Amino acid sequence: MDISIQDLTKIYPNGHKALKSVSLEISNGMFGLLGANGAGKSTLMRILVSLMSPTTGKVLVNGEDLRKNRKAIRTMTGYLPQDFSAFPKLRSWEFLDYSARLAGVKGKQKRRDAVEEMLEEVGLYEARERFANNLSGGMKRRLGIAQALIGDPKIIIVDEPTTGLDPDERIRFRNLLTKISARDVIIILSTHIVGDISSTCHHMALLRSGRLMYNGSPEALINQAKGNVWKIKASHEQFDEVNVKFNVISSIPSVGGWELEVVNESPKGFDAVPIEPNLEHAYVYYMEHYAEASLL
Ligand SMILES: Nc1ncnc2c1ncn2[C@@H]1O[C@H](COP(=O)(O)OP(=O)(O)OP(=O)(O)O)[C@@H](O)[C@H]1O
Ligand SMILES: [Mg+2]
């Protein structure tokens, strides 16, 4: 599978420019789309599932224009919208059976097997007879995930899928996606949480104010931050000063003051010791150092 996003621009009717010349090539595996609130993640995803047309630019799926093959591509796509919460008055299993039908799973027994499997995968088997509209928020989210994954879609687009999941469910969901990503599928996952771009995401993109800031591997992003992340020590009196001077990622109390992780090219003083950056450090570093130029 491959998706080619070519020079997409989206201007909403009110004149808001939500995507600015975004081009991306996405192939098999898990692709993480990272960006702050309002970056344009959901806009891009709605275009990819053809719920909305771009103002200019186009999307090719396996070389075919998305707009000309809407129906066929839609059938092979599983989608979890960010605000998926209104469910019909159907039992959980009935809702998934309906979703399986939409995804093109033919035959009663086949659908039944698919539904049972999905209920197990998202931990809703015990709740299969409960009405979907009466489930708890987190359970609804899991049912939403299940409807996106049922019927072996070739393209899976999940918009902030982990919102509202408890820590156990987050891990479970990540493992489930990892398992699925080994197949011949594309998974596009949006998030504003750096930790959601797990080690299994080999490709990622950073969006900011509708603009593509970075496109590559998490490792390459981390490499760019090398030498720019430090552990420093500050007394209680220095705490405010440090927060003004540096981009502080974390601070933990220690004997007589604080130990902080900061992003900076070369912090002077404060017993600064360089440390290995992680993706969160890299994100902060990258946004700070490459942002201004691309905001024009
Ligand atoms: N229907 C709309 N009409 C006008 N502006 C819109 C519309 N939908 C979104 N926008 C604006 O477009 C920008 C991008 O919105 P979008 O929902 O794509 O961002 P996002 O990255 O998904 O954000 P979040 O993390 O909050 O979900 C925002 O500034 C938003 O206010
Ligand atoms: Mg969104």
Side-chain angles (χ1 to χ4, degrees), residues 221-241:
L221 189 69
I222 290 171
N223 272 335
Q224 299 200 31
K226 278 201 172 138
N228 295 292
V229 186
W230 305 78
K231 183 164 272 178
I232 65 170
K233 288 196 168 81
S235 65
H236 291 296
E237 294 75 35
Q238 290 169 320
F239 188 73
D240 289 340
E241 179 193 347

Side-chain angles (χ1 to χ4, degrees), residues 91-94 116 119 124-130:
R91 295 182 192 278
S92 300
W93 73 265
E94 287 173 325
E116 298 238 321
L119 284 168
L124 284 178
Y125 192 76
E126 302 300 316
R128 65 192 180 282
E129 293 293 343
R130 287 181 59 184

Side-chain angles (χ1 to χ4, degrees), residues 175-240:
N175 290 339
L176 176 58
L177 280 195
T178 305
K179 192 170 88 184
I180 294 171
S181 71
R183 302 178 197 153
D184 177 28
V185 297
I186 287 179
I187 302 177
I188 305 176
L189 173 147
S190 83
T191 183
H192 60 272
I193 302 162
V194 178
D196 276 350
I197 308 283
S198 64
S199 49
T200 47
C201 260
H202 298 301
H203 301 279
M204 62 174 286
L206 278 180
L207 268 186
R208 172 154 154 172
S209 306
R211 215 175 269 288
L212 186 69
M213 303 286 303
Y214 175 81
N215 173 23
S217 69
E219 293 75 29
L221 189 69
I222 290 171
N223 272 335
Q224 299 200 31
K226 278 201 172 138
N228 295 292
V229 186
W230 305 78
K231 183 164 272 178
I232 65 170
K233 288 196 168 81
S235 65
H236 291 296
E237 294 75 35
Q238 290 169 320
F239 188 73
D240 289 340

Side-chain angles (χ1 to χ4, degrees), residues 66-109:
L66 174 63
R67 264 175 296 184
K68 292 185 189 129
N69 294 279
R70 262 173 94 152
K71 230 174 151 189
I73 295 171
R74 191 65 189 88
T75 308
M76 62 163 137
T77 304
Y79 172 51
L80 173 68
Q82 184 170 5
D83 51 6
F84 197 64
S85 56
F87 287 88
K89 196 169 180 294
L90 289 176
R91 295 182 192 278
S92 300
W93 73 265
E94 287 173 325
F95 176 70
L96 283 184
D97 186 72
Y98 170 73
S99 308
R101 212 181 273 257
L102 289 183
V105 183
K106 297 208 169 65
K108 225 174 174 179
Q109 189 57 45

Side-chain angles (χ1 to χ4, degrees), residues 25-39:
E25 300 294 325
I26 302 175
S27 49
N28 278 0
M30 191 123 73
F31 188 92
L33 188 59
L34 185 63
N37 293 139

